[in-house]
Amino acid sequence: MVGMSWLTKLVRAATAPRRREIRRFMMHPIEVQQEQLYDLVGRAAETVFGKEQGFASIRTPEQFARQVPVTDYDAFCGYIERVRQGEQQVVWPTPIRWFAKSSGTTSAKSKFIPVSEEGLRRCHMRGPKDIVALFSDLYPESRVFSGKTLTLGGSHRLVRSDGVAQEGDLSAILIENTPCIASRFRVPKVETALIPDFEQKVDAICRETVSQRVTAFAGVPSWNLVMLKKVLEYTGKNNILEVWPHMELFTHGGMNFEPYREEYRRIFPSLQMKYMNTYNASEGFFGIQNDPSADDMLLMLDYGVYYEFLPMKDLNDPSKCVPLEGVVRGENYAMIITTCNGLWRYMIGDTVEFTSLAPYKIRITGRTRHFINAFGEEVIVDNADRALQAACQATGAQIADYTAGPIYMTEGRKGSHQWVIEFQVPPSDPERFTDVLDRTLQQVNSDYEAKRFKDTTLLRPTVTLVPQGTFYAWMKRRGKIGGQNKVPRLSNDRTYIEQLLDQNERSV
């Protein structure tokens, strides 16, 4: 297969026009973003929502921000429910044929995110195509296109809602709409990909794919790691390259990759293995890593999405939202999107930080609802991941999963944080691990540092080690195995911690 890189050269040539379009929005980001906004507002002016908000009179981004309120799922779900019941022309002018079912981080158990035909083509399906365009340009000698891509998506099949639309995992929507020719380059087969039971699906993937030429895989790092370990168990091999020797690329997203990086290096012992970070959510596809030397992502500006950003310090004051040209580097923002799926000034729930303004690049820092601020310390997921990475490097540890929350003040005792951690490789010195974790948190978060100064408010954190398999068993018990389900990293109360400690007791 020495000459198979010609496929990559062919793909690179075919995708050259798209890369020119990408370069255009990199060079003219504000112009492209305003084009997106005017197109969206113009097309939706005669919808129910458009008429209520006076879209027909909007002429500038500033006017759009004044007239249209910032929403989240709880505030917007009334419109969504009308569409689910079969009413059209509510939030978007063309029929909403699908709803992406997403695990709820709101008061709802599940969110149902509208997906229009335009949203599917211009956003959700454009992202994977652009991954191909960018990868083929970065690695023209790659042979990744000579094999198949293994995708581990969700398990909710499309079902008919009470209205006219179908609803299920976004992956099920994408599978149904993937062109037949593209399906030839992907495994597993549709029937396997949509097996509802995660463990049965992984067993079926092992049987179906270990004999095939798999050169890439894609999905959430944590669940893919579970699958890959099952593949090793099934085959009796020591690493994945003994199963799939041509494996070359992991396209990942959905969570920070850093806690899993060392374990992936262990099961892919090759410098030729490449990793691409993406920002893909039920609400849309927003970012792609285009520089192998950095984990930040290029914000994709021509996907039928108009972006605004609300500083987290002003989370309760939507008037402080800024468009793309108003952002600064280093600020933690809640991301707000307006999309061709019919979401208007919608707070997606993710927080981001800009690492570059020319071009605009971001990294995900956490969730608007996933933080610890029980004592005014304002610890976010990005702080936690950096501190844990430093503690692992100092003690040779590898983390499988973690969550953290407060230990409340009691009479005679100050507050602190409790970290419940499942290690793949335990720290050589647990006390040093805790010290480095604590010290690094103080270095990256001045509020935490102030509360820890001389134990003023916060005491040294408590690290609780739980056996391997604890988090998996806990997620399974909650019905949150596989797909788009994620372990909540930080919480402002002790609910998750108490559930995990209870799970650990059950396992003893």
Side-chain angles (χ1 to χ4, degrees):
M1 306 300 288
V2 174
M4 289 304 289
S5 63
W6 67 267
L7 282 173
T8 306
K9 292 180 173 63
L10 183 63
V11 169
R12 185 168 180 258
T15 54
R18 175 56 190 156
R19 286 193 297 277
R20 286 195 290 271
E21 294 175 348
I22 293 173
R23 285 195 292 272
R24 177 182 178 253
F25 77 65
M26 292 172 68
M27 296 176 64
H28 307 283
I30 309 309
E31 177 184 339
V32 170
Q33 272 289 277
Q34 290 185 1
E35 290 171 358
Q36 305 297 302
L37 175 62
Y38 298 145
D39 176 66
L40 293 168
V41 169
R43 296 194 64 185
E46 296 302 313
T47 62
V48 171
F49 189 82
K51 289 178 179 178
E52 288 179 0
Q53 305 302 325
F55 279 9
S57 67
I58 291 176
R59 297 290 182 268
T60 66
E62 292 78 14
Q63 190 178 0
F64 175 72
R66 286 195 303 269
Q67 290 185 203
V68 182
V70 171
T71 64
D72 58 13
Y73 191 82
D74 288 340
F76 201 67
C77 66
Y79 294 100
I80 290 175
E81 285 305 309
R82 290 172 64 174
V83 184
R84 288 184 71 206
Q85 295 303 316
E87 186 179 352
Q88 294 295 343
Q89 292 275 333
V90 177
V91 295
W92 188 247
T94 60
I96 301 294
R97 296 175 52 196
W98 308 277
F99 285 91
K101 187 176 181 180
S102 175
S103 296
T105 53
T106 66
S107 60
K109 179 180 179 181
S110 295
K111 296 185 294 183
F112 294 89
I113 306 300
V115 179
S116 69
E117 183 73 33
E118 293 88 347
L120 187 67
R121 305 298 172 190
R122 290 177 61 185
C123 188
H124 289 294
M125 298 185 77
R126 192 175 228 181
K129 292 178 182 177
D130 282 351
I131 291 172
V132 170
L134 292 170
F135 183 86
S136 63
D137 195 47
L138 286 169
Y139 304 102
E141 298 304 317
S142 168
R143 293 177 176 81
V144 74
F145 300 109
S146 67
K148 297 184 177 183
T149 297
L150 194 164
T151 55
L152 181 66
S155 301
H156 289 290
R157 294 174 178 268
L158 289 181
V159 297
R160 187 71 61 183
S161 67
D162 293 338
V164 297
Q166 292 177 292
E167 53 195 38
D169 284 345
L170 177 63
S171 57
I173 298 172
L174 295 176
I175 286 171
E176 183 182 86
N177 290 277
T178 298
C180 292
I181 189 170
S183 298
R184 295 177 58 187
F185 298 96
R186 187 181 63 196
V187 290
K189 58 187 178 183
V190 172
E191 293 78 8
T192 302
L194 295 178
I195 291 174
D197 185 279
F198 179 77
E199 293 171 342
Q200 292 178 11
K201 173 160 62 179
V202 169
D203 288 340
I205 287 174
C206 290
R207 294 191 298 270
E208 181 182 334
T209 64
V210 295
S211 61
Q212 300 199 50
R213 183 186 176 93
V214 177
T215 55
F217 67 111
V220 178
S222 57
W223 298 121
N224 271 274
L225 197 55
V226 173
M227 178 197 69
L228 293 170
K229 289 181 178 179
K230 187 66 177 179
V231 168
L232 293 179
E233 179 184 321
Y234 178 82
T235 59
K237 302 297 185 181
N238 294 314
N239 64 69
I240 293 297
L241 295 180
E242 294 179 1
V243 182
W244 294 308
H246 305 288
M247 182 69 79
E248 193 176 333
L249 171 65
F250 178 29
T251 303
H252 59 86
M255 60 176 57
N256 190 344
F257 187 57
E258 283 307 316
Y260 304 94
R261 189 178 294 278
E262 287 304 316
E263 185 63 6
Y264 272 92
R265 284 175 176 165
R266 185 186 70 81
I267 62 176
F268 288 102
S270 169
L271 296 177
Q272 302 307 309
M273 188 67 191
K274 303 168 185 67
Y275 302 89
M276 284 188 76
N277 192 13
T278 64
Y279 185 1
N280 186 16
S282 298
E283 294 84 355
F285 202 118
F286 307 121
I288 302 174
Q289 180 184 356
N290 69 331
D291 180 355
S293 66
D295 283 337
D296 55 4
M297 293 169 285
L298 181 68
L299 189 63
M300 309 307 286
L301 301 180
D302 64 350
Y303 279 18
V305 180
Y306 177 72
Y307 297 98
E308 295 173 273
F309 302 89
L310 178 60
M312 279 297 290
K313 65 178 184 292
D314 300 313
L315 189 61
N316 296 320
D317 185 2
S319 68
K320 298 296 180 62
C321 277
V322 295
L324 193 62
E325 59 266 36
V327 301
V328 296
R329 292 177 60 181
E331 179 82 60
N332 198 32
Y333 293 103
M335 194 163 83
I336 295 167
I337 57 173
T338 291
T339 80
C340 55
N341 285 315
L343 298 175
W344 299 96
R345 302 200 81 200
Y346 180 88
M347 190 178 297
I348 190 174
D350 291 329
T351 60
V352 300
E353 175 188 339
F354 281 85
T355 58
S356 168
L357 305 183
Y360 284 96
K361 290 189 177 186
I362 59 170
R363 61 187 185 89
I364 301 172
T365 55
R367 300 281 296 174
T368 55
R369 299 190 182 213
H370 289 186
F371 55 84
I372 309 176
N373 195 30
F375 313 101
E377 65 275 46
E378 297 189 30
V379 172
I380 62 174
V381 174
D382 181 64
N383 300 155
D385 286 339
R386 291 190 187 192
L388 288 170
Q389 183 181 2
C392 285
Q393 290 175 345
T395 61
Q398 291 181 23
I399 290 175
D401 262 312
Y402 79 89
T403 195
I407 297 176
Y408 299 122
M409 293 179 179
T410 58
E411 186 175 351
R413 189 186 188 281
K414 296 175 181 177
S416 63
H417 292 172
Q418 183 171 14
W419 297 73
V420 179
I421 304 178
E422 178 182 322
F423 286 98
Q424 185 69 35
V425 177
S428 58
D429 184 342
E431 289 300 310
R432 175 164 167 72
F433 181 94
T434 303
D435 286 338
V436 175
L437 170 68
D438 182 37
R439 186 169 63 249
T440 307
L441 277 174
Q442 294 182 53
Q443 292 170 353
V444 300
N445 185 316
S446 59
D447 291 313
Y448 179 85
E449 180 183 34
K451 302 301 182 294
R452 282 286 294 121
F453 181 69
K454 295 184 177 180
D455 295 342
T456 304
T457 303
L458 286 176
L459 300 176
R460 182 175 180 265
T462 297
V463 174
T464 302
L465 280 64
V466 294
Q468 290 188 15
T470 300
F471 276 81
Y472 185 90
W474 174 58
M475 293 289 281
K476 184 176 181 180
R477 180 178 160 194
R478 299 168 64 224
K480 299 284 188 181
I481 288 292
Q484 301 173 44
N485 297 297
K486 305 166 191 173
V487 171
R489 295 307 191 197
L490 303 178
S491 178
N492 213 30
D493 60 45
R494 291 187 55 78
T495 302
Y496 298 136
I497 287 178
E498 296 298 340
Q499 290 177 359
L500 274 161
L501 296 179
D502 178 63
Q503 180 64 51
N504 191 33
E505 290 293 326
R506 287 168 178 251
S507 303
V508 173

